[in-house]
Amino acid sequence: QVQLVESGGGLVQPGGSLRLSCVASEMIFRMGWYRQVPGKQRELVADINRHGYINYGDFVKGRFTISGDNAKNTVYLQMNSLKPEDTAVYYCKASQLYPMQDYWGKGTLVTVSS
């Protein structure tokens, strides 16, 4: 089974930066990040496929950058200019094509507070 290992979450002050990493146990077609706060729907932050095609959530507005390393089955999310409203649990998601199936990481907490 595909396993996802997330790292990089933590506590930062407004305006600070964090870099999240997610490593998959095997090759996956598309990987990315979603976030969720209690009482709200999980939302896309960014994802990328093995060809380099990227989707960003509308709220990112140039502050976040996703990148991937196919050889390492790894995606990174560089988050800059963090705001308190970015506080959430960030989940790595991997999407497999054959068969079509999604995998989720356990989540890593990002807290933006002074």
Side-chain angles (χ1 to χ4, degrees):
Q1 297 186 32
V2 175
Q3 305 292 328
L4 302 176
V5 179
E6 303 145 314
S7 62
L11 173 65
V12 297
Q13 294 184 337
S17 298
L18 285 174
R19 192 188 194 213
L20 305 183
S21 299
C22 179
V23 182
S25 60
E26 61 186 79
M27 182 178 65
I28 295 292
F29 179 71
R30 187 174 74 242
M31 297 178 64
W33 293 92
Y34 288 68
R35 70 184 189 185
Q36 188 170 30
V37 299
K40 294 187 177 181
Q41 188 175 9
R42 190 172 298 186
E43 63 180 349
L44 171 71
V45 179
D47 64 18
I48 184 170
N49 72 15
R50 292 181 62 83
H51 303 302
Y53 294 113
I54 295 171
N55 295 308
Y56 285 112
D58 291 338
F59 62 88
V60 171
K61 297 186 182 299
R63 297 182 297 125
F64 297 177
T65 302
I66 191 168
S67 61
D69 186 335
N70 289 340
K72 297 180 179 179
N73 299 321
T74 301
V75 293
Y76 307 95
L77 182 69
Q78 179 67 45
M79 302 186 293
N80 299 323
S81 302
L82 284 162
K83 305 174 181 179
E85 52 263 43
D86 294 318
T87 297
V89 177
Y90 285 69
Y91 296 92
C92 181
K93 180 184 179 182
S95 298
Q96 179 181 283
L97 293 183
Y98 303 104
M100 185 174 292
Q101 188 169 355
D102 293 336
Y103 302 89
W104 291 92
K106 296 179 180 179
T108 183
L109 178 63
V110 172
T111 302
V112 185
S113 177
S114 60

